[in-house]
Amino acid sequence: MALYLSQMAAFGLVGFDPFGAIVMLAFIAGGARRIHAVVFTSVNWLTIVVVGTAASSVLGIVLDPVRHWLSSVPRRIWVPVEIVAAIALVIWAIVRLRTGQAPEKQQKTRPVRLWLIIGIPAGLALSMLADPGFDGAVLAGASHPIWWQLIGLSLWYLIAMSALVVVCAAAILGETAPVSAWMRR
């Protein structure tokens, strides 16, 4: 299981995403309270774990025949395939690091709506299906029991969404005032 958890940690690094933290900071700057930060982070985590576990379970059933076929492919074919995959992932990482976010328009602050605190993190979690780090975590979990999938995806979440977890902890401790003042400007 140590290998599985180390795979999940590595996929968490690949899937690191600060966007949830940025959205949560915007909510805090707009007047969100501690409970909103906890609900936002909890909904995001729960959606990622549930969707990931469901996808892993379905993939486990679908991938069994594929695993059998893949085991019959000679190793000399796998080396170039893995080299190409590694090059593609490095290119993807470089492109992801170099592309920036477009600045958003300035808007008046509005009161925090509960449906936004629940809907946005769920939507962010579902957008993880397009993240190679999350997809790798789902695939890695496909051959493990559901409890290990839950643990592995929670570990993935703590690493990939660590910025959001830190913002949530700061909100719980009441230490977000400097950042929210900066964001209001």
Side-chain angles (χ1 to χ4, degrees):
M1 286 299 124
L3 176 62
Y4 170 64
L5 293 177
S6 63
Q7 286 174 334
M8 297 306 270
F11 284 128
L13 289 173
V14 170
F16 177 75
D17 188 1
F19 189 66
I22 294 167
V23 171
M24 186 69 248
L25 284 171
F27 275 123
I28 289 170
R33 296 182 311 238
R34 291 177 182 154
I35 189 68
H36 295 130
V38 171
V39 170
F40 186 99
T41 306
S42 299
V43 167
N44 190 251
W45 167 75
L46 189 62
T47 305
I48 282 176
V49 170
V50 168
V51 168
T53 302
S56 288
S57 298
V58 169
L59 281 175
I61 295 167
V62 172
L63 290 180
D64 281 338
V66 174
R67 279 192 199 108
H68 177 70
W69 177 81
L70 291 175
S71 65
S72 66
V73 176
R75 289 185 188 245
R76 67 178 185 270
I77 294 175
W78 282 117
V79 172
V81 168
E82 287 185 20
I83 290 172
V84 168
I87 291 169
L89 284 173
V90 167
I91 291 170
W92 169 83
I94 291 169
V95 168
R96 185 170 178 177
L97 288 173
R98 291 196 173 190
T99 57
Q101 297 285 338
E104 295 185 19
K105 298 176 192 174
Q106 286 260 346
Q107 294 181 352
K108 294 189 308 185
T109 59
R110 297 180 183 173
V112 178
R113 305 271 191 246
L114 183 61
W115 69 270
L116 288 174
I117 293 291
I118 294 172
I120 289 178
L124 288 173
L126 291 175
S127 74
M128 287 295 146
L129 290 169
D131 187 318
F134 181 72
D135 295 340
V138 167
L139 287 172
S143 61
H144 295 282
I146 193 164
W147 293 111
W148 282 106
Q149 291 174 22
L150 294 171
I151 292 168
L153 286 165
S154 293
L155 175 64
W156 180 90
Y157 179 82
L158 286 174
I159 294 170
M161 304 302 278
S162 58
L164 176 59
V165 173
V166 167
V167 169
C168 181
I172 290 169
L173 297 172
E175 298 296 328
T176 57
V179 176
S180 59
W182 175 77
M183 288 191 73
R184 280 189 203 111
R185 279 187 262 142

